[in-house]
Amino acid sequence: MRAAFWEPIFLTFAPVTNSDKYEVVIGLEVHAQLLTKSKLFSGDSASFGGAPNTHVSPITLAHPGTLPKMNRKAIEYAIKLGLALNCEIEQVNYFARKNYFYPDLPKGYQISQHTTPICKNGHVSIKTNGEERKIHLNRIHIEEDAGKSLHDVDEAYTAIDLNRAGVPLLEIVSEPDLHSSEEAFAYVTELRRLVRWLNICDGNMEEGSMRCDANISIRLKGTTKLGTRVEVKNLNSIRNVKRAIDLEVERLIAIVENGEVIQQETRSYNADNNTSFSLRSKEDADDYRYFPDPDLTPFKITDEFLAEIKAGLPALPEELEKKYLEVFHLTSYDAGVICSDRSLVNFYEAIVAHTANHKAAANWLMGPVKSYLNDHGIDIAEFPVQPKKIAALIDLVDEGKVSFNIASTRILAAAMVNPAKDPAQLATEMNLLQESDSEAITGWVSEVIARMPHKVKEYQGGKKGLIGLFAGEVKKLSKGKADMQVVNKLLAEKLN
Ligand code: ADP
Ligand code: MG
């Protein structure tokens, strides 16, 4: 047999890939539908759904002679978000007409803000791979939503539903500051947490109450000039924002690598088969012929209104997360989960208002409380035991009166059916109070040792793991009431 003339070798250096060669640049435009009762410029219901064309008055239908009227709540919500994102609030505002024709836009223009967005600058803090970054915002402005064209309810015609026409939106525009799909994912996740936290938008991307357009370009690493961008629409989940960006980046790199030129265009993402297709080449902003809406007076937001909103702002998730990590020493996982939802935070804060054991409070919330919520498919607001009672259970365990096990199963279960009773009272009534009186425990320990001479020999011969067996026997003998800390201490004393 002839000797092989080659054998594989393993490269010890990383090959140069396209992701080392190009830098990805992303700017996101997020539309958030505001949770106001009525529309931005009329009293029509702004609620989601409803039979088609039932949330419409002559104003929504753009009948001649109708006049818009500003919604105070929408302005308040915009300012709330702006303050939470460290924006400068523009106190002198006006609304502008953005003119374009579309069947679901009966006025022929959308009322929006042009040169005076209500919020400017500011940033969203994101964390990816444990590293924190500030993503700068360009602006947040208020505008009205359009209606919906329904192409699939009739074979021959497109149907129009104007329920959504005039619903208030915030458009949150980032600087081209994001550099990966992971960062974009984190950014939208953080924005959604915040709008839900402030209770100004339900953040539901699947229903379209939060929508995201991604602007994506690439450039050679080390260069600073922005490349030509593509804008991708129809991203109806945070996961799809990430998938669409990954797809576009790959496509853009392939175009450049082929020596072709990227065209500025608007594309649509199809999540079903992970593809995108061109909708149109990009129109210029000038095409909209913006001008101040003559039916709405320019207005100045008063200092008093601004101060009132500032004073009413809740503690923000980012600050709370920091406090839980640095002051309460929770794990970053626990702090993250608790701060993902304001109602969890409220419950947690209500526990720690009654106990100083912050870690135990997190363990109770993340453990027995959350598993009860999951098992019963309910919200923390419906949890049958008050946070104050959870704090009392924590104290019972800390005082050595009951074990965590007994507290989190039997006493917690009893507390659910007797919400008025104190956990200590329940423990007494159920005869679950732990025996930490060492005289009684000494008796049980001696009995177990006397019963198991062979095991004692083995233990003394070096099988130290048997301590668990003895402890288990003592626990049984005491019917679970012996304080195991005392048991272990006495066992060690007697056996050694
Ligand atoms: P338009 O209103 O036409 O969509 P804007 O200038 O308001 O355009 O920008 C929209 C978004 O596109 C912003 O989030 C911005 O950061 C982002 N963007 C602009 N240029 C680029 C680029 N070359 N690459 C990536 N994102 C970009
Ligand atoms: Mg755009």
Side-chain angles (χ1 to χ4, degrees):
M1 207 170 83
R2 283 207 287 173
F5 77 98
W6 68 277
E7 61 184 19
I9 54 167
F10 295 98
L11 299 178
T12 53
F13 54 87
V16 174
T17 65
N18 285 332
S19 55
D20 295 326
K21 189 168 163 190
Y22 297 102
E23 181 180 42
V24 175
V25 178
I26 304 160
L28 297 179
E29 294 163 275
V30 173
H31 284 92
Q33 229 174 54
L34 294 178
L35 285 171
T36 54
K37 285 203 181 70
S38 55
K39 292 186 180 177
L40 186 52
F41 298 111
S42 76
D44 296 348
S45 167
S47 64
F48 178 80
N53 300 308
T54 52
H55 303 165
V56 296
S57 64
I59 297 179
T60 294
L61 297 174
H63 285 196
T66 55
L67 286 172
K69 197 173 154 225
M70 249 187 320
N71 183 331
R72 174 192 165 110
K73 271 278 174 225
I75 310 283
E76 179 188 323
Y77 288 179
I79 295 173
K80 263 191 173 169
L81 184 63
L83 291 174
L85 292 172
N86 307 289
C87 298
E88 295 154 34
I89 307 299
E90 176 67 78
Q91 280 180 263
V92 179
N93 286 266
Y94 72 92
F95 282 101
R97 290 187 181 179
K98 182 179 179 181
N99 299 280
Y100 62 98
F101 171 80
Y102 217 73
D104 55 26
L105 187 76
K107 290 197 299 289
Y109 58 85
Q110 177 192 27
I111 305 179
S112 181
Q113 292 191 298
H114 190 215
T115 58
T116 60
I118 188 154
C119 311
K120 278 187 301 193
N121 303 325
H123 62 262
V124 177
S125 297
I126 61 160
K127 234 191 228 161
T128 46
N129 305 322
E131 200 188 313
E132 201 173 309
R133 274 194 64 218
K134 284 182 178 157
I135 306 304
H136 293 94
L137 293 174
N138 176 285
R139 65 179 188 274
I140 302 175
H141 67 253
I142 307 172
E143 61 186 27
E144 55 178 352
D145 210 343
K148 259 188 204 161
S149 297
L150 307 167
H151 305 292
D152 52 5
V153 296
D154 188 275
E155 262 182 36
Y157 297 99
T158 287
I160 304 283
D161 177 9
L162 292 175
N163 282 355
R164 203 181 64 182
V167 166
L169 296 177
L170 292 185
E171 180 171 340
I172 305 145
V173 184
S174 86
E175 291 293 345
D177 238 6
L178 296 149
H179 296 296
S180 68
S181 60
E182 288 78 19
E183 287 191 349
F185 187 96
Y187 173 91
V188 183
T189 305
E190 179 59 19
L191 265 188
R192 184 178 62 178
R193 169 167 85 162
L194 208 54
V195 295
R196 286 180 172 166
W197 198 273
L198 299 171
N199 203 19
I200 60 171
C201 165
D202 68 23
N204 192 337
M205 288 188 74
E206 286 74 13
E207 280 179 5
S209 36
M210 200 168 116
R211 310 195 281 271
C212 175
D213 300 337
N215 294 269
I216 307 153
S217 65
I218 55 169
R219 63 185 172 201
L220 284 173
K221 265 202 181 147
T223 62
T224 52
K225 191 169 169 280
L226 287 172
T228 305
R229 67 178 152 136
V230 291
E231 179 174 358
V232 187
K233 297 200 170 280
N234 295 328
L235 306 170
N236 61 0
S237 72
I238 300 184
R239 191 172 152 258
N240 285 342
V241 172
K242 183 174 182 303
R243 290 173 73 208
I245 291 171
D246 287 335
L247 178 76
E248 283 311 305
V249 166
E250 211 174 295
R251 210 180 54 81
L252 293 179
I253 289 177
I255 293 175
V256 175
E257 287 285 305
N258 277 337
E260 291 159 32
V261 176
I262 295 168
Q263 301 297 332
Q264 185 171 331
E265 61 179 348
T266 303
R267 297 178 72 85
S268 177
Y269 179 68
N270 181 348
D272 294 336
N273 54 13
N274 192 36
T275 57
S276 70
F277 57 91
S278 183
L279 286 173
R280 56 182 177 269
S281 65
K282 183 76 190 169
E283 66 274 11
D284 272 334
D286 295 344
D287 291 350
Y288 293 124
R289 206 170 57 89
Y290 281 100
F291 65 89
D293 192 310
D295 289 340
L296 288 157
T297 45
F299 63 102
K300 181 174 184 295
I301 291 162
T302 63
D303 296 339
E304 292 77 22
F305 189 51
L306 205 55
E308 195 183 300
I309 297 170
K310 237 178 226 172
L313 219 56
L316 297 174
E318 200 191 331
E319 299 161 23
L320 286 169
E321 214 171 319
K322 209 169 218 158
K323 176 174 102 178
Y324 294 171
L325 284 174
E326 290 168 12
V327 185
F328 291 0
H329 303 292
L330 304 192
T331 63
S332 69
Y333 177 79
D334 287 359
V337 173
I338 295 172
C339 294
S340 67
D341 184 334
R342 192 162 156 204
S343 55
L344 284 178
V345 163
N346 289 343
F347 197 90
Y348 180 72
E349 289 282 324
I351 303 176
V352 296
H354 294 98
T355 175
N357 195 341
H358 306 128
K359 263 189 116 72
N363 293 341
W364 274 82
L365 184 52
M366 300 290 291
V369 175
K370 274 214 117 191
S371 60
Y372 183 88
L373 302 180
N374 291 343
D375 290 349
H376 294 78
I378 57 168
D379 235 41
I380 187 85
E382 300 160 85
F383 189 70
V385 181
Q386 294 172 307
K388 194 172 143 188
K389 298 276 158 73
I390 302 289
L393 282 164
I394 291 171
D395 289 345
L396 279 183
V397 175
D398 286 350
E399 289 160 10
K401 292 194 176 138
V402 292
S403 68
F404 171 74
N405 227 341
I406 295 279
S408 63
T409 53
R410 304 198 42 200
I411 308 178
L412 182 62
M416 290 192 188
V417 271
N418 294 291
K421 277 193 186 163
D422 238 25
Q425 194 187 348
L426 287 168
T428 312
E429 285 175 16
M430 294 164 79
N431 198 20
L432 290 173
L433 284 178
Q434 207 161 243
E435 196 60 75
S436 46
D437 166 18
S438 47
E439 210 168 301
I441 297 180
T442 308
W444 290 318
V445 167
S446 305
E447 192 179 330
V448 166
I449 288 176
R451 256 203 242 152
M452 313 175 94
H454 298 298
K455 295 285 176 201
V456 171
K457 268 228 172 72
E458 280 177 41
Y459 175 86
Q460 283 161 347
K463 273 184 99 173
K464 298 295 178 199
L466 285 171
I467 191 96
L469 175 80
F470 299 124
E473 288 301 311
V474 175
K475 191 172 176 181
K476 253 192 249 166
L477 200 59
S478 74
K479 301 201 171 67
K481 284 165 64 181
D483 181 334
M484 294 314 285
Q485 262 176 341
V486 182
V487 171
N488 282 321
K489 193 171 133 257
L490 287 178
L491 272 172
E493 275 173 25
K494 291 221 175 241
L495 288 166
N496 293 327

